[in-house]
Amino acid sequence: MTADQAGAANPGRDEHARLVAEIEAASDAYYRDGSSPLSDAEYDALLSDLRALEEQFPALVTPDSPTQRVMGKAYTDFAAYDHLQRMESLDNAFSEEELSAWFDRVLRETGTTPELLCELKVDGLAINLLYEDGRLTRALTRGDGATGEDVTPNVSTIDSVPRRLTGTKEFPVPALVEVRGEVYLPTAVFEEINEQQAAAGKPLYANARNTAAGSLRQKDPRVTASRRLTMVCHGIGAREGFEPKAQSQGYAALAAWGLPVSEKVRVLGSVEEVRGYIDFYGEHRHDTAILDHEIDGVVVKVDDVRLQRALGSTSRAPRWAIAFKYPPEEVHAKLKAIEVNTGRTGRVTPFGVMEPTKVAGSTVEMATLHNFHEVARKDVRPGDTVILRKAGDVIPEILGPVLALRPDDLPAWVPPTTCPACGTELVEQREGDKDRRCPNHRDCRAQVVERINHVAGRGSFDIEGLGAEAAIALHESGAVANEGDVFDLTADKLLATPLFTRAAKRSEVEAGAGERVLTANAEKLLANLADRKDVPLWRVLVGLSIRHVGPTAARALAGHFASMDAIRAASQEELAAIDGVGGVIADAVIEWFGVDWHVEIVDKWAAAGVSMEDERDGSIEQTLEGLTVVVTGGLDGFTRDSVKEAIIARGGKAAGSVSKKTDYVVVGENAGSKAAKAEELGLRILDEAEFVKLLDGGTAAMD
């Protein structure tokens, strides 16, 4: 029987297979690392579609169908509880200079050379255990530091976590104590799990940390137990009946009570010894004979509790502790090929395809090579053994070849001369440009799809439901010719796009619907498109994909001109004179609006109801006029975008870097080196509550 005959004999089979694949991919992702490509509503909608299809075609129902198993939702809403004492974050040091600055401040403010406790920064999931009268009563994830999720049944399956504390004469069990620690998956267990995945023909888990996080959020504690998680303690929160005089004494108490404490903790008497500790574990961070878990740095704490109190804390982190983060990890990898892709502005970017290689805790198969000039400068060739790094421990990057391992007569890579997506000859945008670009901006499929996807991005219109897959599907079906058509999408156009349709239920067909109807995601996309037409002007500007015009320049343009018409009518000199714009961006704006089909995009959006101007709110007092404010880290009451908008709306400048010209630095959760630099420069540092006061009353409110 042919495939066509099989499909005819089993109507709905292809649709059933697609739905099952999407549902199981979402479930696997969640159980693997605690995340899912689908929202709760999207998952439920798919499951509902599957049930409807199986009702229509009962022959499709099998025992292993998601509708026949207890799968529930893509994630479980665990109950939330407040920590008795806030779980603070740690400030980070990424260099010797930043670590030295912290040391110097501690010495200066304490007037002494304190003993320093060093411990390994385990790459796991932070947990808070509450013991009352020695009995484990609750286990919470860190959450936002103030409130965490209750994972007590799952934590209770971890062998290293005692259900009841023991006591000694020196350290009797306290009436109440919060124990802070890190849950992690031992390296050997993680590798064993991946071997089982490979043997079963299933995808490998990316890294131990995400696998541990997903394991701890299982709905069935028996699954958590099977993952063989473990824990190490690194602190004490709220307590009654116990007051340690030193951090190390607290750790001794934890061990006496039967809790797991790292054997690698050291109390050291000098900065030189601390650096030796950091260097040693930096060299042996993947030596399984020394460590049974992944680490990403070393935590240094002032040991004396009296001095800890004297040093105090910021709004988010103790000033008596710091986390030294190891630099990006470098490994060797085999380069199989160099390929290229075309981005939304026509830039053609080379990237390396490698044999799967583990770096910084995850498996990497592709890495950037930046541009053709860099490939030539580094002389990277397919077949080379290359040095691979995860820049910032996030973006894989090829640093160069290991020439001693290069095979004889290995040919140099010859870059393409035409666009891989549309075949147009590549050009330099300007003489000496390091990039090669496809000049077919209007019709190159890769560029158009990337621009459609960009319109929906968080930095632009932030349209939920219009991602990369949707952009490809809409363009292929002809529903969207380019980004100008995005806001003209209708139900009829989505019905022509298979991704957004499903087989109609019997009742729907009887009611007059066609064989295919819109999915819940399609309906949601139409609603989101209508909702996102009224966004600030700067977001519209970002969505146009004008070269060099990102959020910062877009905010400057929108803040000065307040309307798209005014920006289009402005001269190069007027544009260049705006703080945050300058000549290069001004040229790019003039050049972009000089293209007819670009202007057509703006006109289409305007005709579809997209807002093309910002109403100047005269009711907002210009409390920050003339002030430069830097915000680093996360704030509870603001998003990254809204905090900038709040500053700009009040006449201030939202800067991205700290300098002597900065007036205020606002420090939130997980602040990095900007906070340390602000202290070093003696700048005024604000927590979130003080920042709100500044917004309301300006400098007068800070006196």
Side-chain angles (χ1 to χ4, degrees):
M1 184 167 60
T2 67
D4 289 343
Q5 290 170 329
N10 297 278
R13 184 175 183 178
D14 290 344
E15 178 70 0
H16 187 273
R18 183 186 71 81
L19 289 169
V20 169
E22 287 193 49
I23 291 168
E24 298 208 318
S27 295
D28 287 345
Y30 174 73
Y31 289 126
R32 179 169 67 250
D33 58 22
S35 66
S36 172
L38 300 177
S39 69
D40 195 15
E42 291 169 335
Y43 184 91
D44 285 343
L46 285 178
L47 204 57
S48 176
D49 290 347
L50 185 63
R51 287 195 184 98
L53 188 65
E54 290 181 350
E55 287 175 8
Q56 186 176 358
F57 303 110
L60 297 176
V61 181
T62 60
D64 62 349
S65 169
T67 63
Q68 306 303 302
R69 288 178 279 145
V70 182
M71 298 182 66
K73 300 178 179 180
Y75 63 85
T76 297
D77 291 322
F78 295 94
Y81 293 94
D82 290 342
H83 303 297
L84 301 185
Q85 181 176 308
R86 185 179 181 86
M87 292 184 72
E88 295 179 310
S89 300
L90 288 173
D91 286 331
N92 294 321
F94 295 96
S95 66
E96 281 286 335
E97 292 74 18
E98 291 177 352
L99 185 62
S100 295
W102 180 82
F103 284 142
D104 292 342
R105 180 176 58 76
V106 169
L107 297 176
R108 183 173 65 252
E109 295 185 15
T110 62
T112 184
T113 302
E115 289 191 318
L116 300 168
L117 181 143
C118 293
E119 59 189 338
L120 301 177
K121 192 173 184 299
V122 180
D123 196 14
L125 182 73
I127 204 78
N128 186 32
L129 308 179
L130 175 62
Y131 286 90
E132 296 178 278
D133 295 324
R135 184 173 63 88
L136 178 64
T137 56
R138 186 176 296 154
L140 302 179
T141 61
R142 182 184 181 279
D144 64 0
T147 304
E149 292 180 323
D150 189 349
V151 289
T152 308
N154 291 352
V155 168
S156 296
T157 69
I158 300 174
D159 289 339
S160 56
V161 176
R163 287 34 160 201
R164 281 191 173 274
L165 301 182
T166 56
T168 65
K169 184 176 181 180
E170 183 181 5
F171 299 112
V173 174
L176 178 149
V177 64
E178 282 184 313
V179 177
R180 274 74 192 271
E182 207 80 3
V183 171
Y184 66 91
L185 191 65
T187 303
V189 176
F190 175 69
E191 292 175 351
E192 182 180 332
I193 290 173
N194 263 345
E195 288 174 2
Q196 294 170 354
Q197 289 290 109
K202 298 180 179 180
L204 302 186
Y205 297 146
N207 57 63
R209 185 192 184 284
N210 286 354
T211 308
S215 300
L216 200 60
R217 289 177 53 83
Q218 294 292 316
K219 291 172 290 185
D220 185 349
R222 291 173 297 182
V223 179
T224 305
S226 72
R227 298 288 171 84
R228 290 175 287 165
L229 299 171
T230 190
M231 177 186 172
V232 62
C233 299
H234 55 55
I236 297 174
R239 64 264 189 184
E240 295 175 7
F242 176 67
E243 284 297 332
K245 295 182 179 180
Q247 189 82 14
S248 54
Q249 185 186 31
Y251 287 12
L254 291 171
W257 297 334
L259 289 153
V261 178
S262 174
E263 297 177 355
K264 305 296 190 293
V265 173
R266 298 289 182 271
V267 177
L268 305 173
S270 70
V271 171
E272 290 71 28
E273 288 178 286
V274 170
R275 290 197 174 101
Y277 182 98
I278 290 171
D279 290 343
F280 176 84
Y281 286 105
E283 294 171 4
H284 297 279
R285 59 189 293 194
H286 295 303
D287 188 342
T288 54
I290 296 175
L291 299 174
D292 73 336
H293 53 71
E294 292 290 335
I295 62 172
D296 58 2
V298 166
V299 177
V300 184
K301 301 175 178 177
V302 173
D303 193 42
D304 189 317
V305 170
R306 179 182 56 83
L307 294 178
Q308 290 181 3
R309 291 187 181 127
L311 289 164
S313 298
T314 65
S315 61
R316 53 165 297 280
R319 301 176 74 246
W320 46 266
I322 196 164
F324 180 88
K325 301 295 288 291
Y326 288 123
E329 191 175 88
E330 298 177 3
V331 299
H332 287 181
K334 191 72 173 180
L335 181 66
K336 297 196 297 185
I338 296 176
E339 298 181 2
V340 299
N341 59 18
T342 305
R344 63 187 171 89
T345 62
R347 181 174 180 244
V348 178
T349 306
F351 62 94
V353 179
M354 295 157 299
E355 293 180 355
T357 304
K358 191 170 183 179
V359 54
S362 61
T363 301
V364 171
E365 296 185 56
M366 292 184 290
T368 183
L369 280 161
H370 299 294
N371 54 55
F372 293 168
H373 171 82
E374 281 294 285
V375 177
R377 184 184 69 81
K378 294 174 179 177
D379 188 23
V380 178
R381 307 180 183 188
D384 268 332
T385 297
V386 297
I387 302 169
L388 179 66
R389 176 177 73 177
K390 287 187 80 174
D393 274 350
V394 177
I395 304 170
E397 172 188 15
I398 294 173
L399 296 181
V402 183
L403 294 177
L405 299 178
R406 173 173 286 173
D408 293 337
D409 302 322
L410 189 67
W413 180 66
V414 179
T417 58
T418 58
C419 173
C422 68
T424 302
E425 186 175 353
L426 303 180
V427 298
E428 293 181 1
Q429 182 138 337
R430 292 178 177 81
E431 187 176 351
D433 196 345
K434 292 181 179 180
D435 293 320
R436 295 293 182 275
R437 296 178 182 272
C438 171
N440 183 21
H441 301 303
R442 183 171 190 170
D443 299 315
C444 176
R445 174 183 174 276
Q447 293 183 60
V448 172
V449 167
E450 287 290 336
R451 292 199 304 269
I452 295 169
N453 186 31
H454 174 72
V455 167
R458 288 185 61 189
S460 182
F461 285 90
D462 193 13
I463 304 167
E464 188 177 350
L466 181 55
E469 183 183 9
I472 293 170
L474 290 168
H475 187 255
E476 287 182 346
S477 71
V480 173
N482 64 26
E483 62 269 40
D485 299 328
V486 166
F487 292 99
D488 286 327
L489 279 171
T490 62
D492 287 341
K493 289 181 179 180
L494 291 185
L495 280 171
T497 307
L499 179 68
F500 290 103
T501 67
R502 61 171 174 81
K505 301 175 186 178
R506 184 179 303 168
S507 59
E508 291 172 325
V509 174
E510 291 172 352
E515 292 296 320
R516 306 289 298 178
V517 296
L518 292 181
T519 63
N521 286 343
E523 301 282 3
K524 188 174 180 180
L525 174 58
L526 291 173
N528 289 338
L529 286 168
D531 179 62
R532 300 306 293 169
K533 289 180 182 180
D534 188 20
V535 299
L537 179 60
W538 72 264
R539 287 184 173 274
V540 181
L541 286 167
V542 172
L544 294 175
S545 291
I546 303 172
R547 193 178 180 196
H548 304 306
V549 178
T552 300
R555 283 190 177 93
L557 289 165
H560 183 84
F561 291 104
S563 77
M564 188 69 73
D565 286 343
I567 295 170
R568 289 167 65 170
S571 66
Q572 196 277 349
E573 292 75 15
E574 290 173 318
L575 293 167
I578 300 170
D579 185 24
V581 179
V584 172
I585 296 176
D587 288 341
V589 172
I590 294 292
E591 181 180 336
W592 193 91
F593 279 106
V595 178
D596 290 345
W597 68 269
H598 287 168
V599 176
E600 289 174 6
I601 292 170
V602 178
D603 292 341
K604 282 184 177 181
W605 285 359
V610 174
S611 177
M612 291 291 164
E613 60 183 31
D614 282 341
E615 292 184 10
R616 295 194 183 276
D617 191 346
S619 66
I620 298 180
E621 187 178 352
Q622 299 298 284
T623 53
L624 304 186
E625 189 167 3
L627 297 179
T628 298
V629 182
V630 173
V631 179
T632 177
L635 302 180
D636 291 336
F638 299 86
T639 65
R640 182 176 298 180
D641 290 332
S642 70
V643 74
K644 290 182 179 179
E645 290 167 5
I647 294 168
I648 294 168
R650 289 160 177 81
K653 178 180 179 182
S657 59
V658 176
S659 72
K660 292 180 179 179
K661 296 181 180 180
T662 305
D663 294 292
Y664 294 97
V665 177
V666 182
V667 176
E669 292 286 334
N670 299 314
S673 57
K674 294 176 185 177
K677 186 171 183 181
E679 284 195 11
E680 181 183 335
L681 294 175
L683 301 176
R684 182 73 182 272
I685 298 176
L686 308 179
D687 60 21
E688 184 169 356
E690 291 170 322
F691 174 57
V692 172
K693 285 176 62 178
L694 178 69
L695 292 176
D696 291 340
T699 54
M702 309 311 297
D703 294 336

